[in-house]
Amino acid sequence: MAMATVKLSSPAAGLLAGGRTRRSAPARRATVIRAAAGSYSDELVSTAKSVASPGRGILAIDESNATCGKRLSSIGLDNTEANRQAYRQLLLTTASLGEYISGAILFEETLYQSTTDGKKFVDCLKDQNIMPGIKVDKGLVPLPGSNNESWCQGLDGLASRCAEYYKQGARFAKWRTVVSIPCGPSALAVKEAAWGLARYAAIAQDNGLVPIVEPEILLDGDHGIETTLEVAEKVWSEVFFYLAQNNVLFEGILLKPSMVTPGAEHKEKASPEAIAKHTLTMLRRRVPPAVPGIMFLSGGQSEVEATLNLNAMNQSPNPWHVSFSYARALQNSVLKTWQGRPENVEAAQKGYTY
């Protein structure tokens, strides 16, 4: 168990008025600080390194049932558990998936589901050396006292949920909160996002799960790329301040940042090279090299945009493994090919990995 001891020195003795000597204050007892990772430290580091392994990234299929239903409806399917299971089975049983995917973020329903042949999805992933992950937050709600901003709920009962997910086979977790540039962002919203992420990260590590730290800076707005850079630096500065305050083990976390881009309504698009330059500038200023992996979210970018931007960031060495944690950018083409038809499964899976 990682332990750190901090000794607090007693005040120096001094002289009081009249030449009398003041008695020295008794020495304070040493304060013992327990690292959040606890007895899981070695496993957390190993898990994080596995997810951040060269040439691979994260498949994010942690959509809620409602969101998954929207995707199914786009190809004319009803939002039933059987259809959700069929779609997730298509994704998770693809041959050679482990060559490209190191971790898969699952929704709670999926963590407990099996294939139609009765094999647990968790075991399908482990057989291909893919770490199963789990979404643990409870969604965004309005933040009182803010500029129409949100905060992420889910800390209540999180420890017991993480313990159960670990027993089921999950080895990392995801918690998503958001920051909106058109809304400020306010100091309150930034602090709430950073503190919530830090508390979640400490709780997850204490229960054996590597936390993915994800303060998504939304693309909404007509601001330029320099504004995004300024806000991103502010947000990540707060996040790492509170991660340290909560004794989170940096070697046992993963980051899921937004790329630094102009707002979606900005009059000029940035090139992949410009996005890479600004994003890496922000990361080098704010992220310690102890963090093993940075897995970018696509954040509303198209499949082509997300790929080109990530490729531009890997044209020179980085202190961390730089890869992806994509949802729509990996799934859109698969859905269109599959169309809910069993005879299209093989073609959809081939397009998914080649």
Side-chain angles (χ1 to χ4, degrees):
M1 181 176 293
M3 306 287 281
T5 302
V6 180
K7 291 186 177 180
L8 304 175
S9 58
S10 60
L15 294 176
L16 298 177
R20 292 175 296 169
T21 302
R22 186 177 67 185
R23 295 179 63 185
S24 298
R28 298 182 185 177
R29 296 181 63 183
T31 302
V32 178
I33 300 172
R34 179 172 296 175
S39 59
Y40 290 103
S41 295
D42 291 344
E43 183 181 355
L44 292 168
V45 172
S46 176
T47 298
K49 285 182 177 178
S50 177
V51 177
S53 55
R56 303 198 298 167
I58 295 175
L59 168 65
I61 54 168
D62 57 316
E63 304 92 349
S64 67
N65 288 346
T67 302
C68 189
K70 292 178 182 177
R71 296 194 178 176
L72 293 174
S73 67
S74 71
I75 57 171
L77 291 183
D78 292 333
N79 185 14
T80 64
E81 182 178 356
N83 284 336
R84 294 193 298 270
Q85 179 196 35
Y87 178 52
R88 288 158 179 163
Q89 179 169 323
L90 181 157
L91 295 171
L92 299 179
T93 61
T94 298
S96 73
L97 184 64
E99 294 180 25
Y100 312 99
I101 299 297
S102 56
I105 310 172
L106 310 176
F107 189 59
E108 186 176 62
E109 178 183 71
T110 317
L111 184 68
Y112 292 90
Q113 280 180 326
S114 301
T115 67
T116 51
D117 294 332
K119 186 174 183 177
K120 294 179 180 178
F121 283 148
V122 167
D123 292 333
C124 294
L125 294 172
K126 289 180 177 179
D127 286 349
Q128 294 212 52
N129 193 28
I130 300 171
M131 288 288 178
I134 180 69
K135 170 186 167 71
V136 298
D137 67 75
K138 294 295 184 180
L140 301 169
V141 292
L143 176 62
S146 71
N147 186 25
N148 295 319
E149 294 162 289
S150 301
W151 69 285
C152 187
Q153 57 188 348
L155 289 176
D156 290 348
L158 179 60
S160 59
R161 295 202 312 275
C162 285
E164 286 300 316
Y165 297 149
Y166 183 91
K167 289 179 184 177
Q168 185 63 19
R171 289 298 178 267
F172 70 96
K174 174 204 166 181
W175 176 287
R176 173 184 176 264
T177 192
V178 301
V179 173
S180 171
I181 292 178
C183 291
S186 67
L188 173 63
V190 172
K191 182 175 181 179
E192 175 59 43
W195 178 255
L197 283 166
R199 288 305 305 139
Y200 137 76
I203 293 167
Q205 286 191 341
D206 199 45
N207 288 279
L209 300 181
V210 168
I212 289 182
V213 178
E214 182 184 357
E216 180 177 355
I217 298 172
L218 299 174
L219 284 177
D220 304 335
D222 59 1
H223 52 276
I225 197 169
E226 295 296 336
T227 299
T228 308
L229 175 62
E230 180 182 351
V231 171
E233 288 183 349
K234 178 181 179 182
V235 170
W236 281 106
S237 177
E238 290 269 306
V239 167
F240 274 99
F241 174 79
Y242 287 117
L243 287 172
Q245 277 206 339
N246 282 273
N247 304 304
V248 171
L249 178 68
F250 288 175
E251 291 86 350
I253 66 174
L254 296 166
L255 307 187
K256 188 174 179 179
S258 313
M259 296 180 189
V260 177
T261 68
E265 290 81 46
H266 188 64
K267 58 182 179 294
E268 293 182 10
K269 275 197 167 187
S271 67
E273 292 72 25
I275 291 170
K277 176 185 174 182
H278 284 79
T279 304
L280 292 174
T281 295
M282 181 274 294
L283 294 173
R284 288 171 180 148
R285 289 173 177 173
R286 292 295 182 264
V287 180
V291 174
I294 297 176
M295 322 299 283
F296 283 100
L297 58 89
S298 51
Q301 301 176 80
S302 71
E303 295 165 89
V304 173
E305 287 174 332
T307 302
L308 290 175
N309 293 338
L310 180 61
N311 182 62
M313 275 182 262
N314 277 299
Q315 296 307 302
S316 58
N318 293 302
W320 341 263
H321 173 66
V322 175
S323 191
F324 60 85
S325 178
Y326 290 169
R328 282 171 291 185
L330 292 178
Q331 295 182 47
N332 284 349
S333 297
V334 178
L335 265 174
K336 291 176 183 177
T337 304
W338 177 47
Q339 292 294 317
R341 298 172 183 168
E343 63 270 22
N344 292 342
V345 166
E346 185 177 350
Q349 289 180 328
K350 283 183 178 179
Y352 179 36
T353 54
Y354 294 101

